[in-house]
Amino acid sequence: MSKRFRKQSASAVSVLLASSMLMTACGGGTPAEQPAAAPAKTDTAPAKSEPAAAPAAGSTEYDQALAGKFKGTKVTMFGPFTDADQVKFETSIKEFESKTGIDIQYEGSKEFEATISIRVDGGNAPDIADFPQPGLLGSFAKKGKVIDVNKVMDVNALKKNYNASWIDMATMDGPSGKIMAGVWNRSNVKSLVWYPKKQFDEAGYKVPKTWDEMLELSRQIAKDGDKAWNIGIESGAATGWAATDWIEDIMLRTTTPENYDKWVKGELPFTSPEVKKAVEKMGEIWLDDELVYGGRKSIVTTSFGDAPKSMFTNPAKSWLHRQGNFITSFFPNTAKAGVDYDWFYLPPIDPQYGNPVLVAGDIYAMFNDRPEVRAVLQFFSKGESIKTWVQSGGVIAPMNDASLDWYSTDVDRRMAKLVQEAKTLRFDGSDLMPGSVGAGTFWKGMTDYVSGTVDLDGALKEIQAGWNKK
């Protein structure tokens, strides 16, 4: 998903490359691909200016903006939000624009990744850009193209308003040391297992607290005559991305966060015992035809969006589906959250690694340093900047000052609480890897393995080879 939410992102990519589907997974569905248009030039774009001076003591540019100091200024922004997502985004910033008089001129593109590179490299960068894939932002940070947030915002306030893991994930290599490359504004929670709540409760099944209990539940469902899991990884040109999410979640549950980080950077190879163990753990479910609806052979040919449909028949034909919160966009329109479906946290495997949470999300980076641009970026670091979007559903705010009362359902509220309280958060690994791996050999290698085309060792070697192409 080029996501606006990446693995969704991955899926989005699939949408764009193949034609049909979602991509705001990482939120809602993405419309069919349309030809990319050349970036529109406008005579309203602000002229380049000298970097802003530090604000007076006890004052921030955000405070000054609310006082009307920047009324009549314009801030350009470029990102992947289009169609319904663009409407939701623009709705979320209306009140700020009204209060401050700052005009945030947003332009969305389904070809964001390619276009932002052209703009930045061509010296025509927007003031702020929304990156659903931090790896791409990292490449700009390393070249010194991005303004270091540490120099334009109150770092202590950021640390107070974000889980430490979000701060860590925003910290990237600059040309001469570490910088904070942006602020997080929207997140997608991935470590979730969905189930048909009403039927699940009526059957007397209990939510598992450990991986072993989840396997026991899966076998009990099989014993009762049904299939426990519905799994699908077909996604057009992005087929296989759904499998990478599983591996990432399991890696966080079977090895240290440090090893996960090394793996993402290419320092821990796919052929290592740690990665092989994670794939084998996944295989306890995926390769057991008694547990998977349609059996192993159906996984590669079933669309990720169609997979959960078998949970909503009466009676249910399958009972469990691991996927990020965006998947509810593919649930029946008549299904009610907390009644017809609910989720439980994908259980821990090894207690020593705690209860990590896998996420994806959007990080907003600043390319031009002017007072009004600082004010807008500071606004985006606050929960209020995403309040209306949260209230509409499908989005989780990563900020601590985002009230749980904003969420319209308990299903979303518990999800937000999970993110706020997590001691270990890690970003979708394949979205951080070079495209040749994360959106290349990782997708293909997992697909080949699940389909039975290659054995596990062969698949891991195939995936690792992608690092040589980066």
Side-chain angles (χ1 to χ4, degrees):
M1 312 186 187
S2 162
K3 253 171 81 197
R4 288 142 218 165
F5 256 0
R6 229 40 222 181
K7 203 63 98 20
Q8 224 183 300
S9 297
S11 80
V13 172
S14 83
V15 173
L16 299 179
L17 300 178
S19 128
S20 65
M21 53 177 258
L22 104 93
M23 182 69 296
T24 277
C26 352
T30 293
E33 172 184 12
Q34 298 178 2
K41 291 209 170 184
T42 166
D43 56 8
T44 60
K48 299 244 181 192
S49 63
E50 294 300 315
S59 173
T60 66
E61 288 82 4
Y62 173 76
D63 296 325
Q64 295 168 15
L66 292 179
K69 185 173 182 179
F70 310 125
K71 184 176 181 179
T73 60
K74 299 177 178 65
V75 172
T76 60
M77 185 169 178
F78 184 55
F81 301 141
T82 61
D83 304 307
D85 277 346
Q86 180 166 346
V87 172
K88 289 183 177 181
F89 170 76
E90 292 177 341
T91 298
S92 72
I93 62 176
K94 277 184 179 179
E95 185 175 353
F96 174 80
E97 289 180 302
S98 177
K99 285 181 178 179
T100 65
I102 297 175
D103 180 12
I104 301 176
Q105 299 184 332
Y106 175 81
E107 179 187 352
S109 171
K110 294 185 173 98
E111 299 293 341
F112 169 78
E113 287 83 356
T115 307
I116 188 62
S117 296
I118 293 173
R119 290 196 182 187
V120 174
D121 292 341
N124 187 34
D127 294 325
I128 296 173
D130 166 15
F131 289 85
Q133 192 172 37
L136 178 58
L137 172 56
S139 66
F140 293 127
K142 190 171 292 186
K143 296 176 184 177
K145 302 286 188 178
V146 178
I147 304 297
D148 185 355
V149 173
N150 289 308
K151 297 180 179 179
V152 300
M153 294 181 67
D154 182 340
V155 177
N156 289 328
L158 288 174
K159 290 181 178 178
K160 181 179 179 181
N161 205 32
Y162 287 92
N163 180 306
S165 291
W166 288 113
I167 299 297
D168 291 343
M169 291 187 293
T171 301
M172 303 178 183
D173 291 328
S176 57
K178 297 290 185 180
I179 69 167
M180 192 179 301
V183 297
W184 297 96
N185 187 258
R186 188 176 74 146
S187 65
N188 174 38
V189 188
K190 291 176 170 279
S191 304
L192 311 174
V193 178
W194 299 89
Y195 64 98
K197 180 174 173 56
K198 184 178 180 180
Q199 295 193 64
F200 189 91
D201 292 344
E202 290 174 348
Y205 297 138
K206 301 298 180 184
V207 170
K209 302 299 182 184
T210 67
W211 182 272
D212 287 341
E213 286 182 5
M214 189 171 72
L215 288 179
E216 290 176 14
L217 170 63
S218 301
R219 294 178 184 121
Q220 181 60 54
I221 291 173
K223 184 178 180 182
D224 292 341
D226 292 326
K227 301 299 183 182
W229 293 87
N230 54 81
I231 306 170
I233 65 172
E234 191 281 322
S235 188
T239 293
W241 71 257
T244 68
D245 275 6
W246 273 75
I247 301 304
E248 291 153 7
D249 246 333
I250 295 174
M251 281 288 288
L252 289 173
R253 287 158 174 73
T254 55
T255 190
T256 64
E258 292 75 20
N259 272 343
Y260 181 90
D261 296 339
K262 290 179 180 178
W263 173 56
V264 167
K265 295 176 182 177
E267 297 169 4
L268 181 71
F270 274 85
T271 51
S272 69
E274 290 86 351
V275 181
K276 183 174 182 179
K277 178 181 178 180
V279 181
E280 289 173 336
K281 205 68 181 173
M282 183 185 80
E284 293 179 353
I285 294 172
W286 285 47
L287 306 187
D288 190 334
D289 286 346
E290 294 299 312
L291 303 184
V292 179
Y293 184 71
R296 174 184 182 178
K297 69 180 186 303
S298 73
I299 294 177
V300 173
T301 58
T302 300
S303 166
F304 76 91
D306 290 338
K309 289 182 177 179
S310 56
M311 289 198 305
F312 294 98
T313 57
N314 191 7
K317 296 177 181 177
S318 65
W319 296 81
L320 305 172
H321 182 75
R322 183 231 156 272
Q323 189 51 274
N325 59 287
F326 77 91
I327 197 62
T328 58
S329 297
F330 293 86
F331 289 176
N333 292 333
T334 55
K336 295 181 179 180
V339 178
D340 299 307
Y341 65 86
D342 204 342
W343 63 271
F344 61 81
Y345 169 75
L346 182 68
I349 297 175
D350 188 330
Q352 69 176 306
Y353 303 121
N355 296 278
V357 178
L358 183 69
V359 297
D362 296 73
I363 183 169
Y364 292 0
M366 179 175 163
F367 286 91
N368 300 309
D369 188 7
R370 302 190 309 279
E372 63 271 24
V373 182
R374 290 188 181 191
V376 172
L377 193 70
Q378 290 163 12
F379 164 66
F380 284 137
S381 72
K382 301 177 184 296
E384 66 179 286
S385 68
I386 199 173
K387 181 178 180 179
T388 61
W389 205 332
V390 165
Q391 291 172 326
S392 69
V395 166
I396 301 299
M399 310 85 162
N400 294 332
D401 68 341
S403 173
L404 295 179
D405 293 335
W406 295 349
Y407 295 89
S408 59
T409 70
D410 184 59
V411 169
D412 285 347
R413 195 171 298 115
R414 288 188 293 111
M415 216 177 289
K417 188 175 182 181
L418 176 69
V419 172
Q420 288 184 1
E421 297 180 349
K423 293 183 179 180
T424 300
L425 283 172
R426 283 297 184 275
F427 203 89
D428 182 302
S430 64
D431 285 346
L432 297 176
M433 296 174 184
S436 61
V437 183
T441 55
F442 199 178
W443 290 354
K444 185 177 185 302
M446 292 310 304
T447 300
D448 290 345
Y449 171 61
V450 175
S451 68
T453 303
V454 298
D455 62 14
L456 179 52
D457 288 332
L460 295 177
K461 290 178 181 178
E462 176 186 333
I463 299 171
Q464 182 61 28
W467 282 99
N468 300 325
K469 304 174 185 178
K470 69 183 181 68

